[in-house]
Amino acid sequence: MNIISSLLSNLNYGTIFFLMMLESTVVPVPSEFVVTPAAYHAASGQLDVWLVILAATIGADLGASINYIVALYVGRPVIYRFANSRWGKMCLLNQEKVKKSERYFDDHGIVATLTGRLIPGIRHLISIPAGLARMNYWKFLLYTTIGAGAWHSILAALGWYLHAIVPEDQLNDKIAEYAEYIKLVIIALVIAAIVWFVVTKYLKRKE
């Protein structure tokens, strides 16, 4: 964790990519404390905000792909065994969290790969049930990219906004404060997206 703290204090495109890759596997790296500060620095000209979003999204794609491939080839028993192991607990993982991501995927189908990227507690694990279900990889990658890109764009917009109103020594406190509001808005948007998807699918079937 000291390594992660060191990387968080030295954000560049490479560290953003690496940290978001970790966050999309099973390593507990909070994306709001990576992308938002990076965008904050981009607002002062130290980085390019579009490259921040791109690096974060490509990193997330790679991390999610690792989860997908592992789940595809090792199967549910090994995944659960790891979740309940000492290493799994070090990653703040447990069997119930994996089951929760599976239930979400089962309830919402392949669209869960997109919407799940926006939901705290589900975001970094949703690729596991996609792999277990043998979802088409390219469709999985497309939905993951859209979901991760949307999430990172929201965090980048927050960082850019905070640059105008918050001194850097207060940044992390403000990120934590605003992150709670963002989570509520995101959950509302995800619910709306799911309802729209279900209604649209129902109407198509009816036709």
Side-chain angles (χ1 to χ4, degrees):
M1 294 303 169
N2 289 334
I3 295 174
I4 291 177
S5 298
S6 176
L7 292 173
L8 286 171
S9 63
N10 295 281
L11 289 174
N12 54 52
Y13 303 123
T15 55
I16 293 165
F17 167 84
F18 181 69
L19 288 168
M20 289 301 89
M21 180 194 71
L22 292 182
E23 192 256 356
S24 284
T25 54
V26 294
V27 181
V29 179
S31 53
E32 55 267 35
F33 290 101
V34 177
V35 180
T36 308
Y40 183 96
H41 295 312
S44 64
Q46 298 176 46
L47 296 167
D48 183 291
V49 70
W50 298 110
L51 291 180
V52 166
I53 295 171
L54 181 63
T57 302
I58 294 174
D61 281 347
L62 179 57
S65 294
I66 292 171
N67 271 7
Y68 172 94
I69 291 168
V70 169
L72 179 68
Y73 287 105
V74 305
R76 187 175 285 101
V78 177
I79 294 291
Y80 280 8
R81 200 175 305 130
F82 173 77
N84 291 324
S85 70
R86 182 167 62 92
W87 291 103
K89 288 179 173 58
M90 285 176 63
C91 294
L92 305 181
L93 196 61
N94 57 49
Q95 184 171 318
E96 183 52 39
K97 288 183 178 179
V98 179
K99 282 185 175 180
K100 183 180 178 182
S101 68
E102 283 202 82
R103 286 196 297 269
Y104 186 85
F105 186 88
D106 291 341
D107 289 343
H108 304 105
I110 58 175
V111 72
T113 311
L114 191 159
T115 57
R117 295 295 312 182
L118 303 172
I119 300 178
I122 295 289
R123 181 168 56 247
H124 67 300
L125 297 177
I126 196 62
S127 49
I128 291 176
L132 292 174
R134 297 184 175 275
M135 177 181 176
N136 177 275
Y137 175 74
W138 298 111
K139 189 173 288 186
F140 161 80
L141 185 61
L142 173 63
Y143 286 0
T144 297
T145 301
I146 294 171
W151 174 242
H152 296 144
S153 296
I154 291 168
L155 295 180
L158 174 62
W160 193 276
Y161 166 72
L162 289 178
H163 182 266
I165 63 169
V166 176
E168 190 167 358
D169 61 347
Q170 298 176 21
L171 180 59
N172 285 346
D173 291 337
K174 278 296 178 183
I175 290 173
E177 178 185 332
Y178 277 83
E180 292 304 314
Y181 296 115
I182 288 176
K183 287 174 184 176
L184 293 175
V185 172
I186 288 297
I187 289 171
L189 289 174
V190 167
I191 292 172
I194 291 170
V195 170
W196 176 84
F197 181 82
V198 170
V199 170
T200 302
K201 196 171 182 179
Y202 171 76
L203 292 176
K204 283 183 179 179
R205 283 183 178 178
K206 197 172 181 181
E207 290 175 359

